[in-house]
DNA sequence: GTGAATGTACGCGAATCGCGAACGAATGTA
DNA sequence: TACATTCGTTCGCGATTCGCGTACATTCAC
């Protein structure tokens, strides 16, 4: 079960106890322990709350993605980018990439 | 139930039948119908498959976000950007934002 | 030693699941 | 018009899974 693996990893990384998480979600320690062991599956609501608690996404918890923090590669634009709520155009992204590459080039020559 | 609302919206927008979705997920029509009516909750696995089928995210289906397509606001420093696999620094992002804003300013004055 | 905290496992009653079946309404076909 | 098909909705059923309390071994602090 992917979610049990992810929960276990995230919790240990933060050095949180089972009890702490159970308290945050208002569920029994044994209930949350079941999530990590794979003995139980959290409700959809619990999944949402866990994602918030861990500061990650439900997609990551469920294994729909492997990126704990959403991260985007500009040269392969799979998501919509916005600045001040307004979409960044494709042309602008191309310019941004050129800008970053040029900047790195200069840095590397030092 | 947020997910039932979202599923219903997405399916109708695509003009798909209950049966079609049920076939895609290999579940009974009544089972999927239960998801939309709120009478049943899909399993975590089903949520993942539904997100794939609809081309959206589990976060959207569960109501953890309101954006159907993942979209990233650059001015929020929660995102990790990469170019050619290498992380874009926070300073660089600030410069990018300034660049975009300046560009828009010029456009607007035309 | 003693107490508290941690992680693990189990049994129980209650809740929920997925399914097939049945239904009326709408649509298609001859 | 008659008839069949598709659609969305709802129900009961058996089986599964849930969340909880509880118990236990281990570890740590005092």
């Amino acid at each position: 079960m992917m979610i049990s693996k992810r929960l276990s990893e995230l919790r240990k990384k933060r050095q949180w106890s089972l009890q702490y998480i159970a308290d945050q979600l208002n569920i029994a320690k044994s209930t949350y322990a079941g999530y990590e062991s794979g003995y139980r599956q959290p409700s959809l609501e619990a999944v949402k709350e866990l994602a918030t608690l861990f500061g990650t996404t439900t997609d990551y918890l469920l294994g729909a993605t492997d990126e704990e923090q959403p991260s985007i590669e500009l040269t392969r634009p799979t998501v919509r980018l916005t600045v001040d709520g307004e979409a960044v155009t494709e042309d602008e992204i191309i310019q941004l990439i050129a800008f970053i590459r040029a900047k790195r080039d200069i840095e590397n020559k030092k």
Side-chain angles (χ1 to χ4, degrees), chain A:
Chain A
M1 212 104 62
M2 179 60 72
I3 190 167
S4 56
K5 202 180 114 213
R6 293 274 155 95
L7 290 175
S8 181
E9 286 170 358
L10 290 170
R11 183 179 61 85
K12 282 169 184 163
K13 196 189 297 180
R14 285 160 179 71
Q15 303 197 52
W16 291 348
S17 70
L18 298 175
Q19 187 68 62
Y20 171 74
I21 295 186
D23 289 343
Q24 298 301 310
L25 299 214
N26 265 312
I27 57 177
K29 178 182 65 166
S30 61
T31 298
Y32 176 75
Y35 300 162
E36 283 200 12
S37 71
Y39 185 62
R40 293 274 183 265
Q41 289 220 324
S43 70
L44 300 185
E45 193 54 36
V47 171
K48 248 171 69 179
E49 293 177 12
L50 285 167
T52 300
L53 184 60
F54 283 120
T56 183
T57 65
T58 66
D59 284 272
Y60 180 73
L61 290 184
L62 300 185
T65 178
D66 288 334
E67 303 179 20
E68 183 178 344
Q69 295 302 331
S71 142
I72 27 172
E73 170 57 48
L74 280 183
T75 59
R76 280 180 288 105
T78 56
V79 290
R80 208 171 71 100
L81 280 185
T82 63
V83 168
D84 304 326
E86 199 178 331
V88 179
T89 72
E90 197 161 336
D91 281 348
E92 284 169 337
I93 293 179
I94 290 173
Q95 291 181 293
L96 297 186
I97 294 171
F99 173 70
I100 294 289
R101 282 180 175 155
K103 192 160 170 300
R104 285 179 182 167
D105 250 21
I106 294 171
E107 291 293 321
N108 290 337
K109 283 187 180 151
K110 279 188 182 165

